[in-house]
Amino acid sequence: MPLDRSSGLLLHISSLDSAGGIGDFGPAAYAFADFLAAAKQRLWQVLPLNPVGYGSSPYSSISAFAGNPLLISLEVLVEWGWLTPAELTQYVTTTGTHPGRVDFEQVRAAKMPLLEQAATRFLAQHTSGNRNKRQWQEFENYRSENSFWLEDFVLFNVLRRQYASAAWSTWPEEIAHRRPDAIARLRTDLAAPLEIERVIQFAFDQQWQALRRYSLERGIRFIGDVAIFVSFDSADVWTHPDIFELREDLSPIRVSGVPPDYFSVTGQRWGNPLYRWDVLLRRNCDWWIDRIRRAHAMYDIIRLDHFRGFEAYWAIPAEEETAIHGEWVKCPGAQLFARLVEALGPIPFIAEDLGMITHEVDQLRQQFDMPGMRILQFGFNDRGAHNYLPHRYEPNTVVYTGTHDNDTTAGWWATGANPRERAAVRIYTGTTGDQPIVWPLIRAAAESVADTCIFPLQDILSLGSEARMNTPAAIGDNWSWRFTRGAIRMEHAEQLAAITELTDRDAVSAENKDS
């Protein structure tokens, strides 16, 4: 589905300058929405909002459906009467010592007990009769409407804590294999903590949807990410082992990754279990329909990460330590997307079609009229890279100066670009000598015929490699960047608004007006 001509910014919620140690759905999020509106931006792209798993990566989640409780605003919980101002002050004092970065372990240790306390207080208010009747009704509605994933997730999350975060496949046999009598007994024995988990997920949903409404009133829509694969240690695999390639002992048969290439002689072994597509097709792709329905309830536009895996994916025997000895396996992506359209109607997807893209992958994307992606940083190396330059774009395209997996444009220019690329950038942008390069590249992307243009906030602020969000296949300080208080100034909005007006990306569509 083609998108309107518009532009927007890429900024994950955790990167906001909220009070405390991590960005959240509180006042800072609303201030950023106001900044987007002042800059005449119409899109806000976020990374997956699911609970983070290994390495605190939003792409390594314990659930493809649930929300990340660390993004819940404690300030809003105070407004709701779930927490006291003194409890908030103590939290901010504890976690406010790392400006510019997220210390995930510190935040988790300080915030989760408060969230549990807030949920307990909400439940106690209902029991005592001193409750917000409207909010309680909304909670009951939420619990009913989301039961198809919520009930299994809250049980998984409580058990995960009970077993000290050990992988679900190591839990007692009757629980790992989900024996019905064992699961029924657990739902009874763990009724209290399960209800707390439901309330925490409700709070996430309420705060996120409130931010979405506020943003939409200002003409701003959200782009959200859906990763093709899910983590092995997740509620999804534990709940639905039959749709994944697992042995009888519940260990993976084959796992995901990408083959060796220019960037890595051993490829990348991601380790996600692969789908049993034959089973999914027999079930009419019901799990995927539920997943995309949930994603579309959270986001206005859905970016499909690793889109090429819907045409063919790299399957690696689970016992292999690298991705070398894998093979390409065809995926029935066309059947899946046809089923999604049949069940859900037209969905505004963006296909992340980067990497080893074949004619067949392009055909699949074009068959369902999805815009592909172009990364400006990739376009300056040689003639083969020119597909990423604006003069080669078609309208149904989303152009980025860079993504969360790239260095910032200033960082790339300082240390990543080779002499050939630097010379090509100068020629393409008409700049010389010591002239800054970030905003000329922003302008080049905005001037292109691509319908959609997305800039990481780091580029708007001309930040260097210290502000990089993620370095793929590297273990380190990934996902933790936050912008600091006062970093965003009115001149940034004015400069971006001027380019947006000049490149005709500022008009609010009839669809947005009617939403």
Side-chain angles (χ1 to χ4, degrees):
M1 178 189 296
L3 305 176
D4 300 324
R5 184 168 178 82
S6 59
S7 61
L9 299 188
L10 167 59
L11 180 77
H12 194 40
I13 299 296
S14 64
S15 295
L16 289 162
D17 61 335
S18 306
I22 190 170
D24 60 38
F25 299 141
Y30 290 82
F32 188 70
D34 291 339
F35 170 78
L36 288 172
K40 298 188 179 298
Q41 301 307 290
R42 296 293 169 249
L43 298 166
W44 180 350
Q45 181 171 337
V46 296
L47 305 184
L49 296 177
N50 310 106
V52 296
Y54 176 75
S56 298
S57 168
Y59 293 90
S60 177
S61 178
I62 61 171
S63 171
F65 293 80
N68 182 358
L70 298 182
L71 304 181
I72 295 172
S73 168
L74 301 184
E75 292 168 280
V76 174
L77 295 186
V78 170
E79 294 174 6
W80 290 356
W82 292 22
L83 290 175
T84 68
E87 289 166 338
L88 173 63
T89 299
Q90 179 59 42
Y91 169 78
V92 172
T93 301
T94 301
T95 59
T97 57
H98 298 277
R101 312 304 297 183
V102 179
D103 184 330
F104 286 100
E105 291 308 312
Q106 182 194 52
V107 168
R108 188 176 291 107
K111 194 165 192 175
M112 289 309 303
L114 270 183
L115 291 175
E116 292 168 10
Q117 182 172 322
T120 300
R121 191 168 287 156
F122 170 70
L123 294 168
Q125 289 169 349
H126 172 69
T127 302
S128 67
N130 182 26
R131 67 183 186 276
N132 181 324
K133 292 183 179 179
R134 177 190 57 79
Q135 196 172 51
W136 183 261
Q137 185 60 55
E138 289 171 344
F139 169 58
E140 290 190 323
N141 293 343
Y142 170 82
R143 183 170 49 185
S144 174
E145 292 168 2
N146 291 276
S147 61
F148 67 97
W149 65 266
L150 181 63
E151 294 308 306
D152 288 310
F153 169 73
V154 298
L155 180 57
F156 175 85
N157 210 26
V158 170
L159 289 171
R160 194 166 182 266
R161 286 202 303 272
Q162 182 172 305
Y163 292 110
S165 297
W168 63 266
S169 56
T170 68
W171 296 350
E173 189 270 346
E174 70 274 13
I175 300 177
H177 286 267
R178 293 179 60 87
R179 307 299 186 211
D181 56 339
I183 297 301
R185 184 173 62 253
L186 287 169
R187 293 194 191 282
T188 299
D189 294 345
L190 300 173
L194 291 178
E195 190 74 335
I196 288 172
E197 289 293 327
R198 293 186 192 100
V199 172
I200 289 173
Q201 286 297 308
F202 166 70
F204 171 95
D205 193 79
Q206 288 282 288
Q207 292 191 10
W208 170 242
Q209 296 300 341
L211 177 61
R212 283 190 66 196
R213 289 191 297 271
Y214 183 89
S215 299
L216 193 59
E217 288 169 359
R218 286 146 185 80
I220 300 161
R221 294 180 293 169
F222 277 94
I223 302 174
D225 236 333
V226 168
I228 180 173
F229 299 116
V230 300
S231 299
F232 172 74
D233 191 20
S234 66
D236 311 290
V237 182
W238 178 61
T239 304
H240 304 284
D242 53 318
I243 66 172
F244 297 94
E245 291 191 7
L246 303 182
R247 298 185 176 92
E248 288 187 10
D249 67 357
L250 301 176
S251 64
I253 299 171
R254 297 185 298 179
V255 297
S256 66
V258 290
D261 56 19
Y262 173 80
F263 299 101
S264 173
V265 296
T266 61
Q268 294 181 41
R269 183 188 183 281
W270 296 337
N272 312 85
L274 300 179
Y275 298 104
R276 293 188 187 272
W277 283 106
D278 57 335
V279 175
L280 281 164
L281 291 174
R282 285 200 300 271
R283 291 172 43 167
N284 219 12
C285 298
D286 56 350
W287 182 85
W288 268 101
I289 291 170
D290 285 342
R291 187 182 185 189
I292 297 303
R293 180 185 288 113
R294 169 66 174 161
H296 197 35
M298 292 183 68
Y299 312 118
D300 303 290
I301 302 165
I302 299 170
R303 174 187 176 273
L304 295 171
D305 193 51
H306 194 58
F307 178 78
R308 76 102 53 244
F310 290 104
E311 191 281 324
Y313 50 88
W314 190 246
I316 308 162
E319 61 272 14
E320 293 288 334
E321 295 183 359
T322 73
I324 294 175
H325 300 297
E327 62 176 340
W328 288 110
V329 178
K330 287 292 184 179
C331 176
Q335 292 171 265
L336 168 64
F337 291 123
R339 181 68 189 100
L340 290 173
V341 171
E342 179 186 346
L344 304 175
I347 300 289
F349 286 124
I350 295 171
E352 187 270 287
D353 56 345
L354 307 175
M356 192 179 297
I357 302 304
T358 63
H359 176 65
E360 291 79 9
V361 177
D362 284 334
Q363 280 187 318
L364 178 63
R365 178 182 62 78
Q366 292 164 3
Q367 179 181 348
F368 293 93
D369 212 13
M370 299 180 193
M373 286 175 52
R374 294 295 177 265
I375 310 300
L376 203 53
Q377 288 181 22
F378 293 173
F380 298 99
N381 198 0
D382 54 31
R383 185 174 293 274
H386 290 177
N387 189 47
Y388 288 97
L389 292 182
H391 68 276
R392 297 286 296 275
Y393 297 167
E394 59 183 37
N396 196 25
T397 297
V398 183
V399 56
Y400 295 76
T401 48
T403 73
H404 62 277
D405 283 334
N406 301 116
D407 201 347
T408 67
T409 296
W412 169 76
W413 180 252
T415 61
N418 62 41
R420 178 175 183 165
E421 290 173 313
R422 294 169 70 88
V425 170
R426 289 300 189 196
I427 292 170
Y428 206 85
T429 59
T431 57
T432 59
D434 295 329
Q435 286 181 274
I437 203 63
V438 176
W439 277 90
L441 287 176
I442 289 173
R443 187 175 64 248
E447 289 172 348
S448 75
V449 298
D451 288 334
T452 309
C453 189
I454 302 292
F455 311 111
L457 178 66
Q458 294 96 313
D459 286 355
I460 301 303
L461 303 181
S462 297
L463 299 177
S465 298
E466 75 283 353
R468 182 170 185 163
M469 191 64 168
N470 179 52
T471 302
I475 298 174
D477 195 20
N478 288 330
W479 314 111
S480 65
W481 176 76
R482 300 174 70 197
F483 71 85
T484 55
R485 189 64 52 90
I488 298 178
R489 300 186 300 275
M490 184 52 63
E491 52 261 40
H492 294 124
E494 293 170 350
Q495 189 174 6
L496 187 53
I499 290 177
T500 304
E501 289 178 355
L502 190 61
T503 56
D504 301 319
R505 296 185 180 276
D506 59 325
V508 178
S509 70
E511 177 185 352
N512 278 354
K513 289 178 180 178
D514 295 339
S515 296

